[in-house]
Structure formats: structure tokens, C-alpha cells
Coordinates of all heavy atoms in Angstrom, one line a residue:
M3 N 0.8 -1.2 0.0 CA 0.0 0.0 0.0 C 0.9 1.2 0.0 O 1.8 1.3 0.7 CB -0.9 0.0 1.2 CG -2.4 0.0 0.8 SD -3.4 -0.4 2.2 CE -3.5 1.1 3.0
A4 N 0.4 2.2 -0.8 CA 1.2 3.4 -0.9 C 0.9 4.3 0.3 O -0.2 4.4 0.8 CB 0.8 4.2 -2.2
S5 N 2.0 4.9 0.8 CA 1.8 5.8 2.0 C 1.3 7.2 1.5 O 1.7 7.7 0.4 CB 3.1 6.0 2.7 OG 4.1 6.5 1.8
E6 N 0.4 7.7 2.3 CA -0.2 9.0 1.9 C 0.3 10.1 2.7 O 0.6 9.9 3.9 CB -1.7 8.9 2.1 CG -2.4 7.9 1.2 CD -2.4 8.4 -0.3 OE1 -2.6 9.6 -0.5 OE2 -2.2 7.5 -1.2
P7 N 0.4 11.3 2.2 CA 0.8 12.4 3.1 C -0.3 12.7 4.1 O -1.5 12.6 3.9 CB 0.9 13.6 2.1 CG 0.2 13.2 0.9 CD 0.2 11.7 0.8
K8 N 0.3 13.0 5.4 CA -0.7 13.1 6.5 C -1.5 14.4 6.4 O -2.7 14.4 6.7 CB 0.1 13.1 7.8 CG -0.7 12.7 9.0 CD 0.2 12.3 10.2 CE -0.6 11.6 11.3 NZ 0.3 11.2 12.4
K9 N -0.8 15.4 6.0 CA -1.5 16.7 5.9 C -1.2 17.4 4.6 O -0.1 17.3 4.1 CB -1.1 17.7 7.1 CG -1.7 17.3 8.4 CD -2.1 18.5 9.2 CE -2.9 18.1 10.4 NZ -2.1 18.0 11.6
R10 N -2.1 18.2 4.1 CA -1.9 18.9 2.9 C -1.0 20.1 3.2 O -1.1 20.8 4.2 CB -3.3 19.4 2.4 CG -3.2 20.3 1.2 CD -4.5 21.1 1.1 NE -4.4 22.2 0.2 CZ -4.7 22.2 -1.1 NH1 -5.3 21.1 -1.6 NH2 -4.5 23.2 -1.9
H11 N 0.0 20.4 2.2 CA 0.9 21.5 2.4 C 0.2 22.8 1.9 O -0.5 22.7 0.8 CB 2.2 21.3 1.6 CG 3.1 20.4 2.3 ND1 4.5 20.4 2.0 CD2 2.9 19.4 3.2 CE1 5.1 19.4 2.8 NE2 4.2 18.8 3.5
S12 N 0.3 23.8 2.6 CA -0.4 25.1 2.3 C 0.2 25.7 1.0 O 1.4 25.4 0.7 CB -0.4 26.1 3.4 OG 0.9 26.5 3.6
K13 N -0.5 26.6 0.4 CA 0.1 27.3 -0.8 C 1.3 28.1 -0.4 O 2.3 28.1 -1.1 CB -1.0 28.3 -1.3 CG -2.1 27.6 -2.1 CD -3.1 28.7 -2.5 CE -4.3 28.0 -3.1 NZ -5.4 29.0 -3.4
A14 N 1.3 28.7 0.8 CA 2.5 29.5 1.3 C 3.7 28.6 1.5 O 4.8 28.9 1.1 CB 2.1 30.2 2.5
Q15 N 3.5 27.4 2.0 CA 4.6 26.4 2.2 C 5.2 26.0 0.9 O 6.4 26.0 0.7 CB 4.0 25.2 2.9 CG 4.3 25.1 4.4 CD 3.8 23.8 4.9 OE1 2.7 23.4 4.8 NE2 4.7 23.1 5.6
K16 N 4.3 25.7 -0.1 CA 4.7 25.4 -1.4 C 5.5 26.5 -2.1 O 6.6 26.3 -2.6 CB 3.5 25.0 -2.3 CG 3.9 24.5 -3.7 CD 2.7 24.1 -4.4 CE 1.7 25.2 -4.8 NZ 0.6 24.7 -5.6
R17 N 5.0 27.7 -2.0 CA 5.6 28.9 -2.7 C 6.9 29.2 -2.0 O 7.9 29.6 -2.7 CB 4.6 30.0 -2.7 CG 3.5 29.8 -3.6 CD 2.4 30.8 -3.5 NE 1.3 30.4 -4.3 CZ 0.1 31.0 -4.2 NH1 -0.2 32.0 -3.3 NH2 -0.9 30.6 -5.0
T18 N 7.0 29.1 -0.7 CA 8.2 29.4 0.1 C 9.3 28.4 -0.4 O 10.5 28.8 -0.6 CB 8.0 29.3 1.6 OG1 6.9 30.2 1.9 CG2 9.2 29.7 2.3
R19 N 8.9 27.1 -0.5 CA 9.9 26.1 -0.9 C 10.4 26.4 -2.3 O 11.6 26.4 -2.6 CB 9.3 24.7 -0.8 CG 10.2 23.6 -1.1 CD 9.5 22.3 -1.0 NE 8.5 22.0 -2.0 CZ 7.2 21.9 -1.7 NH1 6.8 21.9 -0.5 NH2 6.3 21.7 -2.7
R20 N 9.5 26.7 -3.2 CA 9.9 26.9 -4.6 C 10.6 28.3 -4.9 O 11.2 28.4 -5.9 CB 8.6 26.8 -5.5 CG 8.2 25.4 -5.5 CD 7.0 25.2 -6.4 NE 6.5 23.8 -6.3 CZ 5.4 23.4 -6.9 NH1 4.7 24.2 -7.6 NH2 5.1 22.1 -6.8
A21 N 10.5 29.2 -3.9 CA 11.1 30.5 -4.1 C 12.6 30.4 -4.1 O 13.3 31.2 -4.6 CB 10.7 31.5 -3.0
S22 N 13.2 29.3 -3.5 CA 14.6 29.2 -3.4 C 15.2 28.3 -4.5 O 16.4 28.1 -4.6 CB 15.0 28.5 -2.0 OG 14.5 27.2 -2.0
I23 N 14.3 27.9 -5.4 CA 14.8 27.1 -6.6 C 15.2 28.0 -7.7 O 14.3 28.7 -8.3 CB 13.7 26.1 -7.0 CG1 13.3 25.1 -5.9 CG2 14.2 25.3 -8.2 CD1 12.1 24.3 -6.2
H24 N 16.5 28.2 -7.9 CA 16.9 29.0 -9.0 C 18.4 28.6 -9.3 O 19.1 28.0 -8.5 CB 16.8 30.5 -8.6 CG 17.5 30.8 -7.3 ND1 18.9 31.0 -7.2 CD2 17.0 30.9 -6.1 CE1 19.1 31.3 -5.9 NE2 18.1 31.2 -5.2
L25 N 18.8 29.1 -10.5 CA 20.2 28.8 -10.8 C 21.2 29.8 -10.2 O 20.8 31.0 -10.0 CB 20.4 29.0 -12.4 CG 19.7 28.0 -13.2 CD1 19.8 28.3 -14.7 CD2 20.2 26.6 -13.0
A26 N 22.3 29.3 -9.8 CA 23.3 30.2 -9.2 C 24.1 30.9 -10.3 O 24.3 30.3 -11.3 CB 24.2 29.4 -8.3
A27 N 24.6 32.1 -10.0 CA 25.4 32.8 -10.9 C 26.7 32.2 -11.1 O 27.3 31.6 -10.1 CB 25.5 34.3 -10.5
I28 N 27.3 32.1 -12.3 CA 28.6 31.5 -12.5 C 29.7 32.5 -12.0 O 29.6 33.7 -12.2 CB 28.8 31.4 -14.1 CG1 27.8 30.4 -14.6 CG2 30.2 30.8 -14.3 CD1 27.8 30.5 -16.1
S29 N 30.6 31.9 -11.1 CA 31.6 32.8 -10.6 C 32.8 32.9 -11.5 O 33.4 31.9 -11.9 CB 32.0 32.2 -9.2 OG 32.6 30.9 -9.3
L30 N 33.1 34.1 -11.9 CA 34.2 34.3 -12.8 C 35.4 34.8 -12.1 O 35.3 35.5 -11.1 CB 33.8 35.4 -13.9 CG 32.7 35.0 -14.8 CD1 32.2 36.1 -15.7 CD2 33.1 33.8 -15.8
V31 N 36.6 34.3 -12.5 CA 37.9 34.8 -11.9 C 38.8 35.2 -13.0 O 38.6 34.8 -14.2 CB 38.6 33.6 -11.1 CG1 37.8 33.3 -9.9 CG2 38.8 32.4 -11.9
N32 N 39.8 36.0 -12.7 CA 40.7 36.4 -13.7 C 41.8 35.4 -13.9 O 42.3 34.8 -12.9 CB 41.4 37.8 -13.3 CG 40.4 38.9 -13.4 OD1 39.6 39.0 -14.3 ND2 40.4 39.8 -12.4
C33 N 42.1 35.1 -15.1 CA 43.2 34.1 -15.4 C 44.5 34.6 -15.0 O 44.8 35.7 -15.2 CB 43.2 33.8 -16.9 SG 44.5 32.7 -17.4
K34 N 45.3 33.7 -14.3 CA 46.6 34.1 -13.8 C 47.6 34.3 -14.9 O 48.6 34.9 -14.7 CB 47.1 33.1 -12.7 CG 46.4 33.2 -11.4 CD 46.9 32.2 -10.4 CE 46.1 32.3 -9.1 NZ 46.4 31.2 -8.2
N35 N 47.3 33.6 -16.1 CA 48.3 33.7 -17.2 C 48.0 34.9 -18.1 O 48.9 35.6 -18.4 CB 48.2 32.4 -17.9 CG 49.3 32.3 -19.0 OD1 50.4 32.5 -18.7 ND2 48.9 32.0 -20.2
C36 N 46.7 35.1 -18.5 CA 46.5 36.1 -19.5 C 45.6 37.2 -18.9 O 45.5 38.3 -19.5 CB 45.9 35.5 -20.7 SG 44.2 34.8 -20.5
G37 N 45.0 37.0 -17.7 CA 44.2 38.0 -17.1 C 42.8 38.1 -17.6 O 42.0 38.9 -17.2
E38 N 42.4 37.2 -18.5 CA 41.0 37.2 -19.1 C 40.1 36.6 -18.0 O 40.4 35.8 -17.2 CB 41.0 36.2 -20.3 CG 39.9 36.4 -21.2 CD 40.0 37.6 -22.1 OE1 41.1 38.2 -22.3 OE2 38.9 38.0 -22.7
K39 N 38.8 37.0 -18.1 CA 37.8 36.5 -17.2 C 37.5 35.0 -17.6 O 37.3 34.7 -18.8 CB 36.5 37.3 -17.3 CG 36.5 38.6 -16.7 CD 36.1 38.5 -15.2 CE 36.1 39.9 -14.5 NZ 36.1 39.8 -13.1
T40 N 37.6 34.1 -16.6 CA 37.3 32.7 -16.9 C 36.5 32.0 -15.8 O 36.5 32.6 -14.7 CB 38.7 32.0 -17.1 OG1 38.5 30.7 -17.5 CG2 39.6 32.1 -15.9
I41 N 35.9 30.9 -16.1 CA 35.1 30.2 -15.1 C 36.0 29.5 -14.2 O 37.0 28.9 -14.6 CB 34.2 29.2 -15.9 CG1 33.2 29.9 -16.8 CG2 33.3 28.4 -14.8 CD1 32.6 29.0 -17.8
S42 N 35.8 29.6 -12.9 CA 36.7 29.0 -11.9 C 36.6 27.5 -11.9 O 35.6 26.9 -12.3 CB 36.3 29.5 -10.5 OG 35.0 29.1 -10.1
H43 N 37.8 26.9 -11.6 CA 37.9 25.4 -11.6 C 37.8 24.9 -13.0 O 37.5 23.7 -13.2 CB 37.0 24.7 -10.7 CG 37.1 25.2 -9.3 ND1 36.2 26.0 -8.7 CD2 38.1 25.0 -8.3 CE1 36.5 26.3 -7.5 NE2 37.7 25.7 -7.2
Q44 N 38.1 25.7 -14.0 CA 38.1 25.2 -15.4 C 39.3 25.9 -16.1 O 39.7 27.0 -15.8 CB 36.8 25.6 -16.2 CG 35.6 24.7 -15.7 CD 34.4 25.0 -16.6 OE1 34.5 25.5 -17.7 NE2 33.3 24.7 -16.0
A45 N 39.8 25.2 -17.2 CA 40.9 25.8 -18.0 C 40.4 27.1 -18.6 O 39.3 27.2 -19.0 CB 41.4 24.7 -19.0
C46 N 41.4 28.0 -18.7 CA 41.0 29.3 -19.4 C 40.6 29.1 -20.8 O 41.3 28.3 -21.5 CB 42.2 30.2 -19.3 SG 42.0 31.8 -20.1
R47 N 39.6 29.7 -21.3 CA 39.1 29.5 -22.6 C 39.9 30.3 -23.7 O 39.8 30.0 -24.9 CB 37.7 29.9 -22.7 CG 36.8 29.0 -22.0 CD 35.3 29.2 -22.4 NE 34.5 28.1 -21.7 CZ 33.4 27.7 -22.2 NH1 32.8 28.2 -23.2 NH2 32.7 26.7 -21.6
S48 N 40.7 31.2 -23.2 CA 41.5 32.0 -24.2 C 42.9 31.5 -24.3 O 43.5 31.6 -25.4 CB 41.4 33.5 -23.9 OG 42.0 33.7 -22.7
C49 N 43.5 31.0 -23.2 CA 44.9 30.6 -23.3 C 45.1 29.1 -23.0 O 46.1 28.5 -23.3 CB 45.8 31.4 -22.5 SG 45.5 31.3 -20.7
G50 N 44.1 28.4 -22.3 CA 44.2 27.0 -22.0 C 45.0 26.7 -20.8 O 45.3 25.5 -20.5
F51 N 45.3 27.7 -20.0 CA 46.1 27.4 -18.8 C 45.1 27.1 -17.6 O 44.0 27.6 -17.5 CB 46.9 28.7 -18.4 CG 48.3 28.6 -19.0 CD1 48.5 28.7 -20.3 CD2 49.4 28.5 -18.2 CE1 49.7 28.6 -20.9 CE2 50.7 28.4 -18.7 CZ 50.9 28.5 -20.1
Y52 N 45.6 26.2 -16.7 CA 44.9 25.9 -15.5 C 45.9 25.5 -14.5 O 46.8 24.6 -14.7 CB 43.9 24.7 -15.7 CG 43.1 24.4 -14.5 CD1 42.1 25.3 -14.1 CD2 43.4 23.3 -13.7 CE1 41.4 25.0 -12.9 CE2 42.7 23.1 -12.5 CZ 41.7 23.9 -12.1 OH 41.0 23.7 -11.0
G53 N 45.9 26.1 -13.3 CA 46.8 25.8 -12.2 C 48.2 26.0 -12.6 O 49.1 25.3 -12.1
G54 N 48.5 27.1 -13.4 CA 49.8 27.5 -13.7 C 50.5 26.7 -14.8 O 51.6 27.0 -15.1
Q55 N 49.8 25.8 -15.4 CA 50.4 25.1 -16.6 C 49.3 24.9 -17.7 O 48.1 24.9 -17.4 CB 50.9 23.7 -16.1 CG 49.9 22.8 -15.5 CD 50.5 21.5 -15.0 OE1 51.6 21.2 -15.3 NE2 49.8 20.8 -14.2
K56 N 49.8 24.7 -18.9 CA 49.0 24.6 -20.0 C 48.3 23.2 -20.0 O 48.9 22.2 -19.9 CB 49.7 24.7 -21.3 CG 48.9 24.9 -22.5 CD 49.7 25.5 -23.7 CE 48.8 25.8 -24.9 NZ 47.9 26.9 -24.8
S57 N 46.9 23.2 -20.0 CA 46.2 21.9 -19.8 C 45.3 21.6 -21.0 O 44.8 20.5 -21.2 CB 45.4 21.9 -18.5 OG 44.5 22.9 -18.6
A58 N 45.1 22.6 -21.8 CA 44.2 22.4 -23.0 C 44.7 23.2 -24.2 O 45.2 24.3 -24.0 CB 42.8 22.9 -22.6
D59 N 44.6 22.6 -25.3 CA 44.9 23.3 -26.5 C 43.7 24.1 -27.1 O 42.7 23.5 -27.3 CB 45.4 22.3 -27.6 CG 46.8 21.9 -27.4 OD1 47.6 22.7 -26.9 OD2 47.1 20.7 -27.6
I60 N 43.9 25.4 -27.1 CA 42.8 26.3 -27.6 C 43.1 26.6 -29.0 O 44.1 27.2 -29.3 CB 42.7 27.5 -26.7 CG1 42.6 27.2 -25.2 CG2 41.6 28.4 -27.2 CD1 41.3 26.4 -24.9
K61 N 42.2 26.3 -29.9 CA 42.3 26.7 -31.3 C 41.6 28.0 -31.5 O 40.6 28.3 -30.8 CB 41.6 25.7 -32.2 CG 42.3 24.3 -32.2 CD 41.5 23.3 -33.0 CE 42.2 21.9 -32.9 NZ 41.3 20.8 -33.3
P62 N 42.2 28.9 -32.3 CA 41.5 30.2 -32.6 C 40.2 30.0 -33.2 O 40.0 29.2 -34.1 CB 42.5 30.9 -33.5 CG 43.4 29.8 -34.0 CD 43.4 28.8 -33.0
Q63 N 39.2 30.6 -32.6 CA 37.8 30.4 -33.1 C 37.6 31.1 -34.4 O 38.0 32.2 -34.6 CB 36.8 30.9 -32.1 CG 36.8 30.1 -30.8 CD 35.6 30.4 -30.0 OE1 35.0 31.4 -30.1 NE2 35.3 29.5 -29.1
V64 N 37.0 30.3 -35.3 CA 36.7 30.9 -36.7 C 35.3 31.4 -36.6 O 34.3 30.7 -36.3 CB 36.8 29.7 -37.7 CG1 36.5 30.3 -39.1 CG2 38.2 29.2 -37.7
K65 N 35.1 32.6 -37.0 CA 33.8 33.2 -37.0 C 33.0 32.8 -38.3 O 33.6 32.9 -39.4 CB 33.8 34.7 -36.9 CG 34.2 35.2 -35.5 CD 34.1 36.7 -35.4 CE 34.4 37.1 -34.0 NZ 34.5 38.5 -33.8
I66 N 31.8 32.3 -38.2 CA 31.0 31.9 -39.3 C 30.2 33.1 -39.8 O 29.4 33.6 -39.0 CB 30.1 30.6 -39.0 CG1 31.0 29.5 -38.5 CG2 29.2 30.3 -40.1 CD1 30.3 28.4 -37.7
T67 N 30.4 33.4 -41.0 CA 29.6 34.5 -41.5 C 28.8 34.1 -42.7 O 29.2 33.2 -43.5 CB 30.6 35.7 -42.0 OG1 31.6 35.1 -42.9 CG2 31.3 36.4 -40.8
R68 N 27.7 34.6 -42.8 CA 26.8 34.2 -43.9 C 27.2 34.9 -45.2 O 27.5 36.1 -45.2 CB 25.3 34.6 -43.5 CG 24.8 33.6 -42.5 CD 23.3 34.0 -42.2 NE 22.8 33.2 -41.1 CZ 21.7 33.4 -40.5 NH1 20.9 34.3 -40.9 NH2 21.3 32.6 -39.5
A69 N 27.1 34.1 -46.3 CA 27.5 34.7 -47.6 C 26.3 35.6 -48.1 O 25.2 35.4 -47.8 CB 27.7 33.6 -48.6
Ligands
ZN10 ZN1 44.1 32.6 -19.7

């Protein structure tokens, strides 16, 4: 047998609970190698450095333009 909730949650209880459901802002830090703004705990997107050493090869981005 399925268990049933003992009491109904009020609208205010439901809304208070759901008011805290949201995405957190991404924390940006300055790259120690090039100074560019980058996402923390990830390799820099412009130079590929992480933790003082090169960890990713960054290819120069090609801009796609419509003919
Ligand atoms: Zn960098």
C-alpha cells in the first residue's frame, strides 16, 4: 500500500519552498596567465592554462559569416 501524506501543504509552504529554486550565478575569476575572465575550476578559454600550466589546446575560433 502506498503511503499518503498526513496533511496537505499550504500554498504558502509550497511557494516558500519553490522561491529558493533558482540557478546560481557563474563565478568568474581572472586568469593568472592572461588576465582574461574565466570560469573558476576550469581551464582558461582564451589561453588554455589551468593551475599555472597549459592543460588544454585552444584553437583560434573561426567566425562563421553568412554569404
Ligand atoms: Zn588565460
Side-chain angles (χ1 to χ4, degrees):
M3 242 167 80
S5 58
E6 294 292 321
K8 201 163 194 176
K9 285 219 170 96
R10 177 197 162 97
H11 285 202
S12 68
K13 286 176 186 175
Q15 257 183 308
K16 181 175 73 180
R17 288 168 186 169
T18 305
R19 184 178 67 243
R20 289 182 184 174
S22 66
I23 300 170
H24 53 81
L25 294 174
I28 299 165
S29 60
L30 294 171
V31 291
N32 289 322
C33 176
K34 285 179 181 173
N35 187 51
C36 67
E38 197 79 15
K39 285 272 184 195
T40 181
I41 301 165
S42 62
H43 303 105
Q44 286 185 24
C46 177
R47 290 196 174 201
S48 62
C49 68
F51 268 67
Y52 182 75
Q55 57 184 350
K56 196 163 180 68
S57 61
D59 282 324
I60 306 296
K61 291 173 187 168
Q63 291 195 341
V64 180
K65 285 185 180 176
I66 299 161
T67 51
R68 287 183 187 170

